[in-house]
Amino acid sequence: MKRYRKITAGALAGFLALALSGETAWAACLNQSQARQAVASGQARPLGAVSRSVGGEIVRADLCEQGGRLVYVLSVLSGGKVTKRVVDAKSGRPLR
């Protein structure tokens, strides 16, 4: 039983490392204050204006820097499924 726990703990640690490494591309996300400032200065559209183009209900939104520009990384609920969408924060156009 102890060996099983070690394997499970090791597998969990490996899974978490992989999951976190996949998020490093979004490590440059803005905090709430920075996001408000970006919207106020015109660097990003308000989330409400962007939400019309995503085709579903936004359940999570992060404003992040990617490739020298600001993007919204969105989790969108549509048709009973949650998908990740990336939208250019200035233009509101979906990127993927």
Side-chain angles (χ1 to χ4, degrees), residues 52-96:
R52 296 179 194 108
S53 68
V54 298
E57 179 185 352
I58 297 173
V59 294
R60 180 187 169 117
D62 291 303
L63 183 58
C64 304
E65 196 171 345
Q66 179 189 34
R69 67 177 166 190
L70 291 175
V71 296
Y72 281 108
V73 179
L74 307 171
S75 296
V76 178
L77 176 63
S78 178
K81 295 182 182 180
V82 176
T83 58
K84 185 183 226 180
R85 309 243 173 103
V86 180
V87 176
D88 183 281
K90 188 152 181 120
S91 70
R93 283 181 278 144
L95 299 174
R96 64 175 175 138

Side-chain angles (χ1 to χ4, degrees), residues 7-25:
I7 292 171
T8 303
L12 180 61
F15 174 75
L16 288 174
L18 286 173
L20 292 175
S21 69
E23 293 299 317
T24 57

